[in-house]
Amino acid sequence: MKGKAGKRGAKPPQRREKSRLTLGPLLFHWPVEKRRDFYFRIADEADIDEVYLGEVVCSKREPFFEPYLSKTADRLRAAGKKVVYSTFALVTTPREIEIVRAKNAREALIEVNDMAAVQVLDGKPFVIGPLINVFNEGALDFLARKGAVRLVALPELSAASIGILAKAAKARGVEIEVPVFGRQTLSVSMRCYHARSLGLHKDNCRFVCERDPDGLPVGTLDGQDLLTVNGVQTMSHGYLALLNDLAALRKMGVGAFRLSPQDTDMVRVAEIYRAALDGKDDPGALLDELREQLPSTPFINGYMRGGRGLDWTE
Amino acid sequence: MSAPPAYLELVCPAGTPTALRAAVDAGADTVYCGFRNETNARNYPGLNFDADELEDGIAYAHAHGCKVLVAVNTFPRAGNLKLWHEAVDIAADLGADAAILADIGVLDYATRKHPGLRRHLSVQAAASNPASIAFYRDNFGIKRLVLPRILDVGEIAALIRQIGVEAEVFAFGNLGTMVEGRCYLSSYITGLSPSCDGTCAPASHVAYREEGDRLVSCLDGVTINSFGKHEAAAYPTPCKGRYVARGETSYLFEEPFGLNVMAILPQLKAAGVTALKIEGRQRSRAYVAEVVGKFRRTLDALARGEQPLEAESGLSAIMEGGRETFGAYKKGWR
């Protein structure tokens, strides 16, 4: 991996130690045209270094964008961006394993989100996705020996854990990537809650998840916005917004920062995060800009602070 | 003295030394237990074993022909591996019949340090397909897999034909609807993690309050459910709460039912299942004795080729929410 920041003491972020900004896989089921236009705009306009493509949440959605996938990847690459292929979070059927196998045979770098992918990789390098349970250096060590070149931090990890993992990762030549924007995944299931919310089942779902491009809001009985349903996945209501933590994470040796696509202007979000990474503006001021863009969405950072995931501490 | 497993191995919860004896006496083929810390997924006050208690428990079980599995099935946080390694060491030293493990690092440690200790893959590892199971089998020599509660019986049969390791399935008790080991709902609300701390919806964070004629259940200040006078108040596990989506109130994820496979035991046997797991290390000795006894008598009847007594299936009264489900085992659950 080129572009990793060297250890240069406690200086504020410098332009020449450029951290990489990545765009995580699109977790929502957007119509094909919307999805294609989104990636084309990312290719043309966003200051993002690397883009993860591919369906993670539900294999039933997979065929929709498949015909456009390689064209989209070409366009992103032509714009100077690296492309990584994400794979399913939950693999149960032979067909799903075959899709993972085919992706692996075809593509340079795969993000694994179920251990099935590691088994079919056959020694090729891979990215450990945020839905693989790597909580500690023991698990990281083993997967590094299997060919992991990057670890994407799972939602529950605190800054303290990431610091320890980053140290272990460095010794193993593994890069750490931390999600810093967007809803956090809280669970996966075999049951589709989007379908269930309309009295349907996963097997006859009619792809109702397409109705909610930013997920289906789920509140408590007394009106607290709590969760978001995205097909078989449950997510946080608030968006992770770690602008205040970027400098500390960089100091620990985190080399890449992930923005998870939401139904908002992601080009603008990337600009804000890039400005923070480049030390162009004060994180507090940038956070205010992000708030202006997302006035009705609360921000969360509880896990990073070692507490309740839904909390926000300024 | 319980007979050798003739039909399906009955694996029973031992949350305490007392419950262990109750399960053994009621006819368990195998019991499973954990240490009194966050190394196991039922890390609740008043439960579990220290090393001396485990030694006594293993002696009692073995004297009665019953095996003991030790669950070390949570995920150590970074920088905190020692407690998990010690748990595996103690299980091996005391002659446990197997350790139930989930974390890749802990599995790696156990494989290298205690090659003679039989390793089972915990449901917390969420291995639900032949490739994923092969990863754990090839790298860590797992001999048995506890299957995630997400497959139907047909899928289980197809899976077992391909994996070359024994399969243990959940038979009775609490039914999670999310993939185990990959659910953060409880830590999102309470800060304590089922994966790392071994506690889902810990009682220390649960509160009930009366609002008019309704009883409201909360988890760390977040409303999970509300019950009228005629309703039994279910425990506020986040995946079994009532929520509002699209303006409608419902059990969006799962209703507070308990799992009971008593009526489909022959199908599970035909699918190639080796062992049945009774959930409930947090349950009382009396509960354990009753559930284990009924399953024992039913399995013995099936082994003799007899139809089990209708009365033996009547466990709803002690079931969570008082109602039963086949969960994912039956098609249509999804």
Side-chain angles (χ1 to χ4, degrees), chain B residues 65-82:
Chain B
C66 176
K67 284 182 276 190
V68 179
L69 314 180
V70 178
V72 187
N73 60 345
T74 47
F75 301 84
R77 286 204 173 86
N80 192 21
L81 309 183
K82 210 175 143 222

Side-chain angles (χ1 to χ4, degrees), chain B residues 75-141:
Chain B
F75 301 84
R77 286 204 173 86
N80 192 21
L81 309 183
K82 210 175 143 222
L83 194 61
W84 277 258
H85 291 177
E86 281 170 4
V88 173
D89 293 343
I90 297 170
D93 293 347
L94 294 181
D97 295 281
I100 309 170
L101 310 172
D103 179 66
I104 289 170
V106 175
L107 278 157
D108 185 35
Y109 174 84
T111 307
R112 286 185 288 114
K113 191 80 188 292
H114 302 287
L117 176 65
R118 186 179 154 102
R119 292 173 291 284
H120 291 184
L121 189 65
S122 168
V123 69
Q124 297 282 326
S128 50
N129 62 76
S132 168
I133 295 160
F135 170 83
Y136 290 98
R137 182 197 63 208
D138 296 351
N139 289 293
F140 309 120

